[in-house]
Amino acid sequence: MTRRIAGLGEVIGGYDALLVDLWGCVHDGVEPYAAAVDALERAKAAGVQVCLLSNGPRRTGPIISRLDEMGVPRDCYDHVMTSGEATWLALAQPSDPWHRKLGRRAYHLGPDRDRSVHEDAGLEMTAVVGDADFIVVTGTYDNDHTIADYEPVLAEAAARGLPMVCANPDLVVHIGPKLAICAGLMAERYKELGGDVAYHGKPYPSVYARCFELLGAPDAKRVLGIGDAIRTDVAGAKGAGADALFLAGGIYSDDLGGIDPPPAAVAAKAAEEGHPAPDYLLPRLAW
C-alpha cells in the first residue's frame, strides 16, 4: 500500500542511495525547486548517495552543464545518468543484435541541442529520411508542437521500414508551467504506424544497471527511486528491485485531482495503467 509521508527525511534512514528524476522533480526546465535541492543536500549529509536519473535526450556532460546554468549545485548529487547517455552507448558500442544490424546512416528527428546522442558514435547523419538506415528521435523542434506536426516524417520513415531509436521514453514534460510532448509520444505514434522502436532510459533495465554500477552495486532494496511519472519512474524503480517515491505534483496532478491525492487514488491510477503502486507519496520533493 502506498504511504503518504511528511518528507524524504521520514524514510531516508532505510536507504543508501537515491535515483532522482530531474524534470518536474528537481527543476521545472527553467529553474530548480529550492525544497528539492535542500532535500538532496540533506540526504547527502546523511551519507546517502544521489544519482540523478533523467530521461533527457542528451549525454551526461550537456545535462550537467545545463544544471549548472540553472543553479542546481553539484554538491547535491554524486552521479548523473541519462537516457541520452544510454542511447549513445547503444549506438557507439552496440552489444545486441537489434542495434548491431541498424546500419550507420541515421536521421535525427529532434533539435540540434540533442545532437550529443549521436556525435562521435561512428554514424553518418543524413538530412533526408530516404537516405537513412534508421531514425533517432530525441524530441520536438518547438515546445508548442503537437504530434500532428511530425506525422509526415513519421509516416515516411514507417513506410520505408526504418527502425527507430528513442532517446527519451517520456510522453510529456513540464517546461515551466506548460506541458510539452516528448520523444516517447512520437515513438508511440511510430509504433501505431507499424514502426519498430527500441527505447533507452526509464523504465528500461539497462539504464538502471548503469546507475547501480555508478553507485557501487548497492542492495536494490536499499535504493529509492524518486519521480513524478508512474510509467517510467515508479515502474522502472520497482522493476529494478528498488522502492519508489511518487511526486504527485508533477505531470499527474490534473489526472489525480491535485498535487496531494489520497494514497488509494495513486495506487488505483498505477493499477489502471498496469504498473505497481509506489511505496511512498509526496506532493513535491522536500525534506
Side-chain angles (χ1 to χ4, degrees):
M1 177 62 69
T2 302
R3 170 183 157 198
R4 170 62 159 88
I5 59 176
L8 182 61
E10 184 177 329
V11 297
I12 198 66
Y15 300 100
D16 298 321
L18 305 177
L19 300 176
V20 186
D21 184 35
L22 280 175
W23 292 72
C25 301
V26 176
H27 65 72
D28 65 359
V30 178
E31 59 185 9
Y33 300 130
V37 170
D38 174 69
L40 297 183
E41 290 177 334
R42 288 172 181 262
K44 282 193 45 107
V48 176
Q49 287 194 81
V50 175
C51 179
L52 302 179
L53 175 55
S54 171
N55 271 353
R58 305 178 203 173
R59 297 194 67 188
T60 55
I63 291 290
I64 291 171
S65 295
R66 180 62 184 134
L67 292 174
D68 289 344
E69 291 171 4
M70 281 193 288
V72 177
R74 292 198 183 192
D75 63 6
C76 78
Y77 60 90
D78 299 286
H79 312 285
V80 178
M81 183 60 189
T82 69
S83 58
E85 186 74 19
T87 300
W88 185 88
L89 288 168
L91 295 175
Q93 305 165 19
S95 60
D96 63 280
W98 194 93
H99 287 88
R100 283 197 294 265
K101 70 179 182 181
L102 282 177
R104 306 315 292 167
R105 293 176 300 169
Y107 177 86
H108 178 197
L109 177 56
D112 187 60
R113 65 177 177 269
D114 298 336
R115 65 184 181 276
S116 65
V117 303
H118 58 72
E119 279 185 329
D120 302 318
L123 301 175
E124 175 188 344
M125 304 308 296
T126 72
V128 180
V129 171
D131 293 336
D133 297 319
F134 68 99
I135 184 170
V136 179
V137 61
T138 63
T140 63
Y141 297 108
D142 188 290
N143 292 335
D144 292 324
H145 280 177
T146 69
I147 198 67
D149 292 301
Y150 300 92
E151 189 73 12
V153 67
L154 294 175
E156 180 183 355
R160 292 178 177 275
L162 301 185
M164 172 183 280
V165 176
C166 178
N168 177 3
D170 286 353
L171 303 179
V172 294
V173 68
H174 272 112
I175 307 292
K178 297 174 59 177
L179 278 178
I181 67 171
C182 294
L185 196 63
M186 299 159 77
E188 291 298 292
R189 176 56 183 155
Y190 196 63
K191 288 173 64 177
E192 292 174 355
L193 293 169
D196 186 16
V197 181
Y199 296 88
H200 295 283
K202 298 174 290 185
Y204 300 96
S206 60
V207 78
Y208 286 90
R210 178 58 180 154
C211 288
F212 275 63
E213 290 176 11
L214 293 171
L215 292 166
D219 178 355
K221 292 306 294 180
R222 297 280 301 177
V223 177
L224 178 65
I226 303 174
D228 68 338
I230 292 172
R231 64 178 287 273
T232 53
D233 299 305
V234 173
K238 300 296 286 183
D243 287 347
L245 165 57
F246 174 64
L247 305 177
I251 60 175
Y252 277 82
S253 58
D254 290 339
D255 290 344
L256 293 170
I259 68 171
D260 196 9
V266 174
K269 184 64 175 177
E272 176 188 322
E273 296 187 1
H275 302 302
D279 299 277
Y280 309 113
L281 166 67
L282 272 177
R284 300 190 186 280
L285 183 57
W287 187 255

